[in-house]
Amino acid sequence: YQPVSSLQGLRLLANLPAGTLTTVDVQLAADHQTLPKFDFSPLASLKLFDLNLYTYYWGAATDEQLRLLAGLDTAKIHNVEFSSPSSVVSNPYGMTNRQFNILAPFVQAVIENPGTSSQMIGFSGNCITDFSALKNIKPSKASQVTGLYEYVYHTNKLVYQPGATVEVASEMTGVQGESLNYTVRYYQDDGTADGKLVQAAAHEATVTSADGTTRMVWKYTLVNPKVIRGNLI
């Protein structure tokens, strides 16, 4: 894929015979400054079968752009992607929870449409951690919503001392609002001259909040961490 800067040529497809289905499979925008200016309106005149839109910069999309996408005709849509071109690459510009919530009604309409076959809808390689906007979904056939390799970026500063315990709360919320168990691995210096990194020992724990809800955490004990200019390595 090479990122495209315009979908204007798709307007010609509106001249195809009535009922003709179209598959759109493209990578969008070369950077996060370009995406907010991207015109998605040519998609509105198409009868879509597959809509696979890939970009590293979904997080830069405007609410107006997302609402346009959420308003597309879902009558014949089979597969949809709002994913990163490479889901296994850490992506700070991925789609956020708030943006996902704008698209959730569109996803629900696609999944609940009884007139189409099973669907695959992907949100991989973004920054989505809460999928509960789909909790009321009622699939009409075997379908799947996938959010592989979501990345969470923490800006809060944490201070650790040698031998301290690190508690990591689950950031993931599933479709039913459940807290999802996940594994976090911390690597630390082993104290040798070559500075080999070893995995910190961990154990699983359940934490109960004041309102009675529980969440899963992993606790890590750091031993001999290497600190460079105040940063734990």
Side-chain angles (χ1 to χ4, degrees), residues 207-221:
V207 175
T208 303
S209 302
D211 61 1
T213 59
T214 60
R215 57 188 172 87
M216 191 65 65
V217 301
W218 288 88
K219 293 187 176 181
Y220 297 81
T221 300

Side-chain angles (χ1 to χ4, degrees), residues 50-53 77-82 106 110 120-122:
D50 287 341
L51 177 63
N52 300 322
L53 304 178
I77 289 183
H78 179 63
N79 293 324
V80 180
E81 287 283 349
F82 297 109
F106 172 79
V110 172
M120 297 282 289
I121 302 181

